[in-house]
Amino acid sequence: MTTKNWWRLCALAGFGVLAVSYIIGTIPHVDTACGGSSELRPILTFEFARTPADIATLFGEDPCRSRLVRAMDTLNTIDVFAFIPMFVAFLVTGAMAVKGHGRTLALAAATIAVIAGLCDQAEDQILFAITAELPGTQAQLDWLFWFVHIKFAGLALAGMAIGWLTLKDSLFGKGVGAMMVLGGLVSLFGLAGSSYWPLASLGLVLAWVPLWAYAIWSGFIRKTAIMNTLR
């Protein structure tokens, strides 16, 4: 497959990531915690919970508890069947689009993205088990800790690898690559402790939006722009 076609697939997958993210944001009560800190989105508090007491605090009491359980289960169902496949496809096609600048690193990035997606799938199964019997068990949360951290670290590292290879492309690519490396570092820093959790997801946004823009440009605009310059 040509580089341009890989970029086109990456752009389409990026649109899918954006569309699914929007759908997730429309789930009723998805951003309404029943207790605990209001500074974090409930899904982040859920993912990074360390004890059953943390879960009990987040979900509170009925009727709020039932609403939040439905919201989290809906979110995680969409995650399993749509969001995870989309972001894995986005990163894998992005890695394949830059493999000409370093095949080994590109294949490593694609592999890491797949592993991160599998960890996210395992994470969701634990979250389903917890909402089925709140507040869950300490063993479940111990496993959740590893799957969540490996997922975020994997996504950050995959993005940084793609960004590093993009630095070797056009002038636009150098800017995109720098943003992707920075975003990956921000995401990794977000794993340092509870005060920084929001940075874990923010860093991915900082990395993925430039990659999507570059995929659109490289897949659908770049040739036209060059031809117009030559006329």
Side-chain angles (χ1 to χ4, degrees):
M1 185 178 294
T2 66
T3 297
K4 180 173 284 292
N5 283 337
W6 280 121
W7 279 126
R8 286 173 174 169
L9 290 175
C10 184
L12 293 173
F15 178 77
V17 170
L18 181 65
V20 176
S21 297
Y22 173 79
I23 292 170
I24 287 173
T26 65
I27 298 171
H29 310 295
V30 74
D31 287 323
T32 305
C34 297
S37 173
S38 60
E39 297 177 0
L40 295 174
R41 293 190 66 198
I43 186 58
L44 272 181
T45 303
F46 195 9
E47 288 178 334
F48 284 100
R50 295 298 294 119
T51 67
D54 294 336
I55 299 294
T57 299
L58 171 65
F59 283 90
E61 302 294 336
D62 277 328
C64 184
R65 173 185 289 187
S66 296
R67 290 196 297 264
L68 186 56
V69 166
R70 285 194 297 272
M72 291 296 102
D73 284 351
T74 301
L75 186 159
N76 289 321
T77 299
I78 295 173
D79 198 34
V80 166
F81 293 104
F83 192 64
I84 295 172
M86 280 294 152
F87 77 61
V88 170
F90 177 60
L91 292 174
V92 168
T93 54
M96 292 299 97
V98 295
K99 71 180 185 296
H101 299 299
R103 183 179 180 85
T104 300
L105 186 57
L107 292 175
T111 301
I112 293 170
V114 172
I115 292 171
L118 292 173
C119 285
D120 203 357
Q121 292 282 0
E123 169 196 320
D124 284 334
Q125 298 312 307
I126 295 174
L127 297 180
F128 282 130
I130 291 173
T131 54
E133 294 189 34
L134 290 171
T137 66
Q138 188 59 53
Q140 288 173 326
L141 291 166
D142 289 341
W143 279 107
L144 182 65
F145 173 89
W146 289 109
F147 285 127
V148 169
H149 281 70
I150 293 172
K151 173 192 75 173
F152 276 113
L155 293 177
L157 292 173
M160 290 172 70
I162 295 169
W164 181 260
L165 294 176
T166 306
L167 283 168
K168 301 178 181 181
D169 204 30
S170 66
L171 181 61
F172 185 10
K174 295 184 189 305
V176 169
M179 284 296 297
M180 292 187 70
V181 172
L182 176 61
L185 290 173
V186 170
S187 188
L188 288 174
F189 184 71
L191 301 178
S194 59
S195 299
Y196 310 108
W197 288 342
L199 296 178
S201 56
L202 175 61
L204 298 182
V205 174
L206 293 176
W208 291 5
V209 170
L211 177 60
W212 185 41
Y214 196 64
I216 294 171
W217 183 72
S218 297
F220 298 99
I221 302 172
R222 192 172 190 175
K223 183 177 180 180
T224 302
I226 293 173
M227 289 179 64
N228 288 339
T229 302
L230 294 175
R231 286 176 183 172

